[in-house]
């Protein structure tokens, strides 16, 4: 990342070195609204945390007053408003830059009410006077271990792919873990200068149950004596190139092979540095560093295993300055854990372990605001991501390591939770394809997103014709997102498991940063206006059909595939459970159906609403879950409220459903047409291939032709991904005893949740509109997925 330069007495104290890649105001962002600071200062790194408010643009919809004299013929009006949200900033940099960085922060604090800065770490004493002088704030020291645990709990709760297993020789070195909703209890092995082993039982209950004086300081100190290398990172680089077998005495060096009766292989270390006592030769710095790293890592791993076994703990997290994301260190600890537990316990590492103390110190200062009552999400546009520091990394990564690193988290105003109907939340994986592990898939999708970038920029500019600076902002978006794609090509694990969903997450965060809130708002408005004109005709056409014909027409309407291609894809479909569904609906009605809806226009009005109408007529309560915020042409909760009110005025069944509280509209807590029913982040935007205009029911040729002509030119559609669910929605699901979940659309039912298993009946309906993905799933372009799963038959893929 960028480098904040040292002070040069011959120039302004904020003049930055020529080697800087980013100006300091892109590192210390939003300082003008900063409130509450916390700092964690270790032996070589400083971690700064602060809370700020951020202004950004949001698209709002409001129903027209059609009784007014100047009433519009449109359903609603769209306005772009300024909204303020909360953001947490965490910045990690070398202590060598602390004075200059504090100067910069002081000069850019415009409106802070903060009089105290929370501080932790050993350096909080060393730099106390400097901090108070530079920032004019009183330093309030916090207990280091308390801050560490608070920070660890926070990241485990709020960042889904925070923890990972490191497997050096696997196709994907980083295997990210989906955190269980109940994170306790766990063992935290914090490796700084020494080692602290902490048993964490709840948010505020923890105990240091052990430790060791042999830790990172031992590696650094002995390494410096052995190799004359004074820098910690250089010592690790030496270790990465060394061969420990040149220095260590192995089992086979003693026995001539393995020791079978004790289960010891010949390559096992029998004595660290054992050969140095007898061999008459000089040992290389690399070999000695590697032997030392193995010795200390094995010792720490064995201690961790013994304490985990003693306290019956299966989750063991490793953190601290000693690790810092170095592959060699993580590999040696992982090997040790696997050996001593025979593979029963995994060594888990944390993407943001370097920030734990700073996060905890900040939370101590913010307890009056109770930050734990909110859900938080990582902002990819402002976060550096996990960067490898291996010696063979490319120059871009090498330049970024060891300087500035950033993490930003946005507060989500509505608390997000798990869907209560997941069969097994701990094993639920939302994404169908993991691009971190699949190199061919990764290259394909990275290419797609790069190719789509010009189209995204054009759409963003076109959405704001009255803003002359939109082109400049769009170009900045292009540069930032392209840089993110380059990073992900070299480091696919930077933000956790790489998926199409996370690529869209990153793009949406970048778009939001440059104030492009809803590029498709006018398109959606036009589609909704046109489709509403044909709602009554659609319902009347359906009512003329026999009951059996109507059920199939309703399914085809929800699928909403382009007419001519629909007839080419005849049954049996790629996944075809229609006959099973047809037999099921001959029986008793469902108690309550939760329906995750997708696109605006024809999709929601002429596809979903007739299907909902049929469910209501059967006596089934319906909960329509729509996006909380805009995502391409997806219908939002605000838009759906207006549309449903208009439909109710035309349809007595819908009207009665609303009046009798049997039809409920709830926002999902997501800003995307795809669903992560357990964990994730907010997203939006487009994916790069065009479709012919959408339509609704295959039986209604004349209506399709009229709608198509009314809409005009073809519309580009895309799919994006979602987040955890709104807490209100989860409550409604429980209270109404939901026994049917309907998920429609490619993003929700194909890219995500294709393999999801629920504890009740479910319907997944989608058309695969990407040829690569269709081929991957064993189908072809425009293949149909209609999956009906019961409680006894969970998956039919």
């Amino acid at each position: 990342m960028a480098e904040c330069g040292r002070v040069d007495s011959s120039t302004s104290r904020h003049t930055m070195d020529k080697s800087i890649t980013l100006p300091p105001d892109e590192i210390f962002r939003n300082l003008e609204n900063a409130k509450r600071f916390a700092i964690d200062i270790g032996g070589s790194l400083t971690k700064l945390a602060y809370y700020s408010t951020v202004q950004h643009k949001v698209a709002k919809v409001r129903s027209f007053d059609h009784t007014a004299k100047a009433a519009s013929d449109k359903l609603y009006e769209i306005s772009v408003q300024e909204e303020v949200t909360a953001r947490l900033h965490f910045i990690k940099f070398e202590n060598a830059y602390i004075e200059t960085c504090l100067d910069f922060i002081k000069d850019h604090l415009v409106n802070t009410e903060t009089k105290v800065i929370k501080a932790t770490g050993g350096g909080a004493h060393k730099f106390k006077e400097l901090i108070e002088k530079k920032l004019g704030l009183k330093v309030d020291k916090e207990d280091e271990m308390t801050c560490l645990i608070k920070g660890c709990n926070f990241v485990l709760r709020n960042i889904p792919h925070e923890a990972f297993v490191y497997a050096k020789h696997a196709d994907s070195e980083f295997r990210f873990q989906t955190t269980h909703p109940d994170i306790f209890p766990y063992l935290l092995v914090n490796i700084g200068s020494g080692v602290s082993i902490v048993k964490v039982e709840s948010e505020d209950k923890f105990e240091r149950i052990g430790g060791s004086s042999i830790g990172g300081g031992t590696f650094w100190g002995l390494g410096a004596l052995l190799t004359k290398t004074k820098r910690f990172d250089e010592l690790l680089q030496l270790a990465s190139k060394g061969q420990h077998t040149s220095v260590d005495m192995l089992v086979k060096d003693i026995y001539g092979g393995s020791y079978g009766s004790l289960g010891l292989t010949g390559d096992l270390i029998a004595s660290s540095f054992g050969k140095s006592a007898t061999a008459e030769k000089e040992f290389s710095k690399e070999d000695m560093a590697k032997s030392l790293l193995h010795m200390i890592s094995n010792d720490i791993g064995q201690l961790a295993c013994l304490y985990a076994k003693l306290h019956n703990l299966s989750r063991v997290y490793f953190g601290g300055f000693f690790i810092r994301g170095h592959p060699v260190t993580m590999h040696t600890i992982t090997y040790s854990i696997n050996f001593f537990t025979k593979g029963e316990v995994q060594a888990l590492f944390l993407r943001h372990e370097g920030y734990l103390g700073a996060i905890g110190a900040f939370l101590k200062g913010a307890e009056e605001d109770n930050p734990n009552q909110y859900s938080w999400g990582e902002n990819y546009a402002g976060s550096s991501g996990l960067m490898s520091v291996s010696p063979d990394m490319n120059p871009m990564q090498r330049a970024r390591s060891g300087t500035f690193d950033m993490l930003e988290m946005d507060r989500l105003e509505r608390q997000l939770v798990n869907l209560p109907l997941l069969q097994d939340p701990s094993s639920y994986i939302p994404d169908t394809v993991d691009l971190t592990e699949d190199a061919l898939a990764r290259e394909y999708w990275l290419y797609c997103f790069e190719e789509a970038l010009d189209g995204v920029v054009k759409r963003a500019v076109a959405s704001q014709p009255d803003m002359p600076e939109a082109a400049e902002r769009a170009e900045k978006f292009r540069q930032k997102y392209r840089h993110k794609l380059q990073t992900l090509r070299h480091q696919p694990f930077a933000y956790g498991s790489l998926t199409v969903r996370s690529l869209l997450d990153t793009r949406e965060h970048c778009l939001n940063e440059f104030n492009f809130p809803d590029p498709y708002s006018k398109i959606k408005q036009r589609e909704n206006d046109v489709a509403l004109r044909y709602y009554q005709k659609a319902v009347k056409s359906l009512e003329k059909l026999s009951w059996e014909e109507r059920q199939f027409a309703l399914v085809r309407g929800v699928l909403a595939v382009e007419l001519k291609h629909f007839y080419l894809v005849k049954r049996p479909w790629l996944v075809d459970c229609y006959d099973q569904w047809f037999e099921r609906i001959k029986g008793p009605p469902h108690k309550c159906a939760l329906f995750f809806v997708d696109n605006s226009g024809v999709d929601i009005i002429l596809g979903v609403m007739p299907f909902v109408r049929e469910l209501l007529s059967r006596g089934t309560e319906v909960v329509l879950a729509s996006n909380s915020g805009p995502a391409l042409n997806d219908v939002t909760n605000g838009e759906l409220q207006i549309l449903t009110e208009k439909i109710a005025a035309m349809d007595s069944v819908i009207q009665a459903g609303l009046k009798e509280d049997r039809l409920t509209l709830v926002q999902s807590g997501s800003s995307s047409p795809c669903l992560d029913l357990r964990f994730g982040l907010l997203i939006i935007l487009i994916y790069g291939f065009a479709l012919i205009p959408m339509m609704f029911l295959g039986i209604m040729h004349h209506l399709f032709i009229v709608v198509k002509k009314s809409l005009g030119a073809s519309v580009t559609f895309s799919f994006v991904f979602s987040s955890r669910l709104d807490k209100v929605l989860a409550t409604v699901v429980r209270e109404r005893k939901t026994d049917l979940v309907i998920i429609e659309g490619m993003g929700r039912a194909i890219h995500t949740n294709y393999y999801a298993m629920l504890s009740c009946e479910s319907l997944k309906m989608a058309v695969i509109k990407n040829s690569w993905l269709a081929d991957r799933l064993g189908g072809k372009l425009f293949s149909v997925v209609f999956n009906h799963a019961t409680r006894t038959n969970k998956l039919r893929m």
Side-chain angles (χ1 to χ4, degrees):
M1 293 298 291
E3 186 172 324
C4 186
R6 307 185 198 288
V7 175
D8 184 342
S9 58
S10 64
T11 60
S12 166
R13 64 180 177 179
H14 302 307
T15 299
M16 301 295 139
D17 293 336
K18 292 182 179 180
S19 60
I20 295 174
T21 57
L22 286 176
D25 57 355
E26 291 193 29
I27 301 169
F28 303 98
R29 290 148 50 95
N30 306 306
L31 278 172
E32 65 275 10
N33 298 316
K35 301 174 183 177
R36 295 195 191 85
F37 284 81
I39 198 164
D40 175 17
I41 309 177
S44 62
L45 292 176
T46 294
K47 287 78 68 177
L48 178 73
Y50 61 94
Y51 161 93
S52 182
T53 54
V54 181
Q55 280 195 325
H56 62 98
K57 296 185 184 298
V58 294
K60 298 284 188 179
V61 297
R62 184 175 66 86
S63 180
F64 277 112
D65 180 5
H66 290 280
T67 62
K69 292 182 179 179
S72 170
D73 60 347
K74 295 183 180 297
L75 285 175
Y76 53 83
E77 62 179 335
I78 305 163
S79 61
V80 176
Q81 302 174 13
E82 292 286 342
E83 194 168 89
V84 177
T85 57
R87 180 172 294 174
L88 298 180
H89 301 260
F90 304 100
I91 304 161
K92 181 168 61 180
F93 52 90
E94 296 173 6
N95 288 352
Y97 302 113
I98 187 170
E99 188 166 354
T100 302
C101 293
L102 290 175
D103 277 333
F104 181 85
I105 293 167
K106 177 186 177 182
D107 288 354
H108 291 78
L109 290 179
V110 178
N111 185 31
T112 179
E113 303 169 359
T114 303
K115 303 302 179 185
V116 175
I117 181 171
K118 294 289 185 178
T120 190
H125 295 285
K126 180 179 179 180
F127 293 99
K128 179 177 183 293
E129 291 185 6
L130 176 65
I131 296 169
E132 291 183 338
K133 177 183 177 181
K134 294 289 186 182
L135 296 185
L137 304 176
K138 179 184 176 183
V139 172
D140 187 3
K141 183 75 166 61
E142 290 291 343
D143 177 69
E144 191 170 354
M145 193 57 63
T146 301
C147 293
L148 184 72
I149 301 305
K150 276 189 171 291
C152 191
N153 292 341
F154 184 84
V155 297
L156 287 176
R157 286 187 186 282
N158 289 283
I159 302 181
H161 288 164
E162 175 63 28
F164 62 90
V165 172
Y166 183 77
K168 180 180 179 181
H169 301 295
D171 291 338
S172 174
E173 295 175 83
F174 294 79
R175 302 286 179 86
F176 293 93
Q177 309 292 297
T178 302
T179 305
H180 192 276
D182 182 8
I183 65 174
F184 306 111
Y186 65 84
L187 194 71
L188 177 63
V189 182
N190 192 59
I191 314 171
S193 298
V195 180
S196 289
I197 301 176
V198 186
K199 178 183 179 181
V200 185
E201 297 184 76
S202 67
E203 196 67 47
D204 299 306
K205 185 179 179 181
F206 62 90
E207 178 187 3
R208 186 184 188 275
I209 57 176
S212 173
S213 62
I214 302 174
T218 313
F219 175 69
W220 198 350
L222 284 178
L225 291 173
L226 290 168
T227 69
K228 308 304 179 184
T229 300
K230 296 297 183 181
R231 290 181 62 84
F232 188 87
D233 285 328
E234 290 178 8
L235 191 60
L236 280 170
Q237 295 299 331
L238 287 175
S240 69
K241 301 173 184 177
Q243 293 292 330
H244 77 96
T245 55
S246 300
V247 183
D248 293 340
M249 185 177 291
L250 308 181
V251 169
K252 65 183 177 183
D253 295 324
I254 301 174
Y255 295 100
S258 62
Y259 194 156
S261 62
L262 294 182
L264 304 177
T265 64
D267 292 329
L268 194 67
I269 298 174
S271 176
S272 295
F273 286 91
K275 289 179 181 177
S276 63
T278 58
E280 297 294 333
K281 67 173 184 177
E282 292 291 326
F283 296 96
S284 72
K285 293 179 179 180
E286 290 82 0
D287 293 347
M288 289 189 291
K290 186 63 168 289
S291 175
L292 182 61
L293 183 62
H294 273 285
M295 182 183 77
I296 292 172
S297 298
N298 286 335
D299 182 66
I300 294 171
Q302 186 172 27
L303 274 176
C305 292
L306 290 172
Y307 278 105
K309 186 174 182 179
L310 181 64
H311 292 271
N312 195 29
L313 297 172
S314 60
R315 281 177 284 195
V316 182
Y317 298 103
F318 289 84
F321 173 80
F322 180 64
I323 297 172
R324 292 174 63 184
H326 284 274
V328 176
T329 309
M330 293 188 295
H331 174 65
T332 54
I333 289 176
T334 298
Y335 181 89
S336 175
I337 290 289
N338 288 339
F339 175 79
F340 289 115
T341 68
K342 295 180 172 58
E344 293 179 0
V345 175
Q346 289 182 318
L348 295 167
F349 304 96
L350 302 171
R351 280 206 295 136
H352 300 103
E353 57 89 14
Y355 295 109
L356 301 186
I359 292 172
F362 174 84
L363 293 174
K364 286 287 290 182
E367 286 178 341
E368 62 190 66
D369 290 338
N370 191 14
N372 283 325
Q373 73 179 331
Y374 299 101
S375 293
W376 299 80
E378 181 177 2
N379 186 316
Y380 296 154
S383 295
S384 302
L386 178 66
M387 305 306 295
S388 170
V389 290
S390 62
D392 57 346
M393 66 184 176
N394 67 68
M396 181 178 70
Q397 273 77 39
R398 187 177 295 111
R400 293 179 58 177
S401 65
T403 55
F404 276 78
D405 188 67
M406 296 161 338
L407 165 66
E408 291 185 3
M409 300 188 71
D410 291 330
R411 190 177 78 184
L412 313 178
E413 296 304 322
R414 301 179 67 86
Q415 192 170 4
L416 304 179
V417 297
N418 299 337
L419 177 68
L421 298 174
L422 281 175
Q423 187 183 51
D424 181 11
S426 63
S427 64
Y428 169 72
I429 299 175
D431 302 290
T432 304
V433 181
D434 187 342
L435 307 183
T436 317
E437 298 185 3
D438 192 328
L440 290 176
R442 179 169 68 248
E443 186 55 38
Y444 171 80
W445 286 110
L446 286 170
Y447 172 79
C448 284
F449 277 87
E450 286 175 343
E451 287 294 296
L453 192 49
D454 287 344
V456 176
V457 169
K458 289 178 182 178
R459 173 61 62 189
V461 174
S463 70
Q464 299 179 358
D466 300 327
M467 298 183 181
E469 81 288 354
E472 181 181 351
R473 284 187 283 112
E475 186 57 35
K476 289 180 178 178
F477 152 74
R478 182 206 303 272
Q479 294 173 6
K480 181 152 215 170
Y481 186 59
R482 177 173 286 148
H483 175 74
K484 293 288 183 182
L485 291 176
Q486 291 170 351
T487 297
L488 290 168
R489 174 168 274 110
H490 294 293
Q491 307 283 19
F493 47 79
Y495 299 106
S497 291
L498 182 64
T499 62
V500 175
R501 178 168 56 94
S502 67
L503 286 170
L504 290 160
D505 287 354
T506 307
R507 184 167 64 185
E508 175 58 18
H509 292 176
C510 291
L511 277 163
N512 286 340
E513 180 175 348
F514 296 105
N515 277 323
F516 293 105
D518 189 5
Y520 281 78
S521 58
K522 298 293 175 62
I523 293 176
K524 289 189 294 179
Q525 184 181 42
R526 183 160 55 100
E527 291 174 355
N528 291 331
D529 287 341
V530 172
L532 271 174
R533 300 173 194 170
Y534 303 99
Y535 176 79
Q536 288 177 302
K537 291 182 180 179
V539 170
K540 289 179 180 178
S541 297
L542 287 166
E543 288 177 339
K544 293 178 181 178
L545 300 174
S546 67
W547 183 85
E548 181 175 348
E549 291 174 327
R550 186 165 71 249
Q551 304 316 306
F552 188 62
L554 288 167
V555 167
R556 287 162 56 177
V558 173
L559 288 169
V561 69
E562 203 278 322
L563 180 62
K564 63 180 181 181
H565 288 290
F566 185 87
Y567 281 116
L568 292 175
V569 184
K570 297 181 179 179
R571 295 186 62 199
W573 296 322
L574 178 63
V575 179
D576 194 338
C577 299
Y578 178 76
D579 292 340
Q580 178 184 317
W581 168 250
F582 181 71
E583 291 301 316
R584 168 61 186 87
I585 57 178
K586 289 180 180 178
H590 297 88
K591 171 70 173 62
C592 178
L594 169 61
F595 201 138
F596 289 102
V597 299
D598 192 15
N599 296 333
S600 296
V602 174
D603 190 313
I604 183 68
I605 295 170
L606 302 181
V608 170
M609 293 308 286
F611 196 96
V612 168
R613 187 180 190 276
E614 187 77 10
L615 290 172
L616 291 170
S617 299
R618 285 173 49 81
T620 299
E621 298 178 12
V622 179
V623 177
L624 288 180
S626 54
N627 282 1
S628 299
L632 294 180
N633 62 325
D634 271 19
V635 66
T636 64
N637 183 259
E639 292 162 346
L640 186 56
Q641 295 280 353
I642 296 171
L643 295 176
T644 305
E645 179 183 349
K646 184 67 175 178
I647 291 172
M650 299 184 285
D651 189 333
S652 60
V653 175
I654 299 297
Q655 186 178 65
L658 290 173
K659 185 176 181 180
E660 298 164 10
D661 198 28
R662 293 187 299 109
L663 174 58
T664 306
L665 277 58
V666 182
Q667 56 181 302
S668 66
S670 156
S671 294
S672 162
C674 294
L675 289 172
D676 178 350
L677 298 174
R678 209 176 91 102
F679 292 105
L681 289 170
L682 297 176
I683 12 287
I684 294 180
L685 246 183
I686 87 182
Y687 151 149
F689 55 86
L691 299 178
I692 301 172
M694 61 184 180
M695 51 80 57
F696 75 110
L697 298 173
I699 59 169
M700 301 173 65
H701 299 227
H702 63 287
L703 285 183
F704 169 69
I705 297 301
V706 173
V707 171
K708 179 177 179 180
K709 288 180 179 178
S710 300
L711 290 177
S714 63
V715 179
T716 300
F717 297 96
S718 322
F719 301 89
V720 207
F721 299 77
S722 92
S723 66
R724 293 161 286 181
L725 295 177
D726 186 88
K727 188 175 183 179
V728 174
L729 171 57
T731 301
V732 170
V733 166
R734 289 191 185 95
E735 290 179 348
R736 304 231 170 173
K737 297 181 172 56
T738 299
D739 54 355
L740 173 64
V741 174
I742 304 173
I743 304 175
E744 66 140 337
M746 182 173 165
R748 291 176 173 85
I750 304 295
H751 278 298
T752 54
N753 299 299
Y754 191 71
Y755 299 111
M757 300 175 71
L758 303 176
S759 60
C760 67
E761 278 188 69
S762 65
L763 273 181
K764 299 173 189 175
M765 297 184 278
V767 178
I768 307 178
K769 304 180 183 77
N770 175 271
S771 57
W772 179 92
L773 187 58
D775 181 71
R776 175 59 64 96
L777 296 177
K780 56 185 179 180
L781 189 63
F782 296 109
S783 288
V784 174
V785 170
F786 186 86
N787 182 54
H788 174 232
T790 66
R791 282 174 290 185
T792 57
N793 181 21
K794 297 298 181 186
L795 195 65
R796 300 177 66 88
M797 296 298 184

